[in-house]
């Protein structure tokens, strides 16, 4: 269930490439888990309310894709007050509903996915979701990859950088897991199978479950 710490979200409706706040934030950011979403808006106006990531009940959620007939999910969420107009926000609360009902995160996510399949809601359904301790990533309709790296912690350098400038002499390598829609570096990226769920727990243990074939692989 959600961790005790409250997630912090920083959003802007405009392009990140020209956002000074965004670049200043990532330069000095130190965190054990972060979700970054650079959105190509498809549904809803370009407003803060429609901007990812969404946060509720200690969870953070970002969606890549567009779900057709998402209004059918909204009908299953009576009493939920939505801040924006996107399919993504409905998708998020729909997953939270199933997590609560099933009493477990993995079981709840799979239940939500099975419902969507059973009701024929088509479209890209990739998402990243976290309670601040573990990361859950689902691939359906869009590419999704992950890689494991060891980096030397240093000020002002992000986890994807190969520059070790600024590293303290006593620094030890830190293991990091990066999940992304595209392969961002020359590292050995693993492409997740279609209709698969990736779980990275708080100890950075990785499991991949192929939902449509009931197969799984762990590392």
């Amino acid at each position: 269930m959600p961790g005790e710490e409250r997630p912090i979200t920083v959003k802007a409706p405009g392009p990140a490439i020209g956002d000074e706040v965004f670049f200043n934030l990532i330069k000095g950011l130190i965190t054990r888990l972060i979700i970054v979403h650079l959105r190509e808006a498809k549904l809803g106006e370009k407003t803060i309310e429609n901007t990812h990531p969404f946060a509720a009940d200690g969870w953070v959620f970002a969606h890549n894709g567009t779900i057709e007939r998402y209004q059918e999910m909204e009908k299953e969420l009576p009493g939920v007050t939505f801040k924006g107009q996107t399919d993504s926000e409905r998708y998020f609360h729909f997953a939270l509903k199933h997590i609560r009902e099933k009493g477990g995160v993995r079981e709840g996510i799979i239940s939500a996915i099975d419902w969507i399949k059973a009701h024929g809601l088509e479209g890209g359904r990739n998402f990243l979701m976290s309670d601040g301790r573990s990361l859950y990533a689902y691939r359906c309709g869009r590419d999704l990859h992950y890689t494991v790296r060891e980096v030397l912690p240093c000020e002002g350098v992000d986890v994807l950088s190969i520059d070790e400038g600024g590293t303290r002499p006593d620094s030890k390598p830190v293991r990091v897991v990066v999940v992304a829609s595209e392969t961002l570096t020359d590292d050995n990226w693993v492409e997740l199978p279609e209709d698969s769920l990736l779980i990275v727990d708080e100890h950075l243990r990785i499991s991949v479950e192929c939902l449509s074939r009931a197969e799984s692989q762990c590392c």
Side-chain angles (χ1 to χ4, degrees), residues 51-203:
T51 301
H52 303 232
F54 301 99
D57 300 336
W59 288 90
V60 175
F61 179 94
H63 170 216
N64 178 20
T66 302
I67 299 178
E68 300 177 10
R69 297 177 19 231
Y70 68 91
Q71 296 86 351
E72 293 186 29
M73 287 190 295
E74 185 172 346
K75 293 177 183 178
E76 298 293 314
L77 299 167
V80 176
T81 300
F82 300 102
K83 297 179 180 179
Q85 300 83 39
T86 66
D87 58 327
S88 304
E89 188 181 5
R90 277 77 180 158
Y91 191 17
F92 177 31
H93 284 278
F94 190 71
L96 290 179
K97 174 179 182 286
H98 281 256
I99 290 171
R100 290 192 298 269
E101 291 177 347
K102 292 297 180 180
V105 181
R106 172 190 168 276
E107 295 79 8
I109 289 174
I110 293 175
S111 174
I113 290 168
D114 286 344
W115 189 98
I116 290 172
K117 291 178 184 176
H119 288 76
L121 273 62
E122 299 180 353
R125 301 196 291 272
N126 282 26
F127 69 73
L128 298 178
M129 185 173 185
S130 177
D131 59 359
R133 296 178 301 186
S134 298
L135 177 70
Y136 302 85
Y138 176 60
R139 177 189 175 179
C140 181
R142 297 287 190 275
D143 290 345
L144 198 61
H145 309 78
Y146 75 91
T147 189
V148 180
R149 308 190 72 207
E150 284 196 351
V151 300
L152 292 173
C154 49
E155 297 180 2
V157 179
D158 62 72
V159 297
L160 291 176
S161 175
I162 60 173
D163 181 6
E164 297 181 0
T167 303
R168 299 187 304 273
D170 59 345
S171 295
K172 296 181 180 179
V174 175
R175 186 171 184 255
V176 298
V177 179
V178 184
V179 183
S181 298
E182 302 176 11
T183 56
L184 304 173
T185 64
D186 293 331
D187 293 284
N188 182 28
W189 290 81
V190 178
E191 182 177 358
L192 291 172
E194 179 73 0
D195 194 25
S196 64
L197 178 65
L198 167 73
I199 302 175
V200 184
D201 71 11
E202 57 188 319
H203 303 293

Side-chain angles (χ1 to χ4, degrees), residues 16 22 34 36 48 50 80 94 160 197:
F22 173 76
I34 184 171
V36 178
I48 288 292
N50 290 332
V80 176
F94 190 71
L160 291 176
L197 178 65

